[in-house]
Amino acid sequence: ATCRRGTMVKAKTTKAPTKRKNALKFTIDCSHPVDDGIMDAASFEKFLTDKIKVGGKTGNLGNLVSVSRDKAKVLVSSDTALSKRYLKYLSKKYLKKQQLRDWLHVIANNKSSYELRYYNIADQDAEEDED
């Protein structure tokens, strides 16, 4: 309690924040490049497993983050804070490492998933033909 101008002010009692279980699930759909044989979903899964940081450390996934694969889709589920943007960053990093960044880009196709798509170069070819 603090005293201000002769009146007693009751100190605020703070409740301990309740830790909620925020099971986040993200998917990264690699079906286009995997079907064409220019990318391997298993190596992408391993890359994410090796590179995702938990508590500022790589290789520290524990039980908090799990990376799995369903054919050409890589599924990332997390019980701790993990942003979708971070997965996009890692996906772009993987594409750069595999030298696929010139042909593929990472597109959000809904609130909890990304998709690896080819750049749409057919439109550019059509525009060049018109000139």
Side-chain angles (χ1 to χ4, degrees), residues 42-56:
S43 70
F44 182 48
E45 177 189 13
K46 183 179 180 338
F47 177 84
L48 288 177
T49 306
D50 295 344
K51 296 286 184 180
I52 289 177
K53 286 187 178 182
V54 177

Side-chain angles (χ1 to χ4, degrees), residues 13-20:
T13 57
T14 56
K15 285 188 221 169
T18 55
K19 191 138 185 164
R20 62 184 174 95

Side-chain angles (χ1 to χ4, degrees), residues 15-69:
K15 285 188 221 169
T18 55
K19 191 138 185 164
R20 62 184 174 95
K21 199 84 159 162
N22 54 341
L24 302 166
K25 287 186 171 59
F26 300 108
T27 60
I28 303 170
D29 185 3
C30 318
S31 53
H32 293 291
V34 169
D35 290 346
D36 293 341
I38 64 166
M39 188 181 136
D40 182 25
S43 70
F44 182 48
E45 177 189 13
K46 183 179 180 338
F47 177 84
L48 288 177
T49 306
D50 295 344
K51 296 286 184 180
I52 289 177
K53 286 187 178 182
V54 177
K57 296 186 180 108
T58 57
N60 188 23
L61 298 183
N63 297 333
L64 295 173
V65 178
S66 68
V67 181
S68 58
R69 186 169 40 96

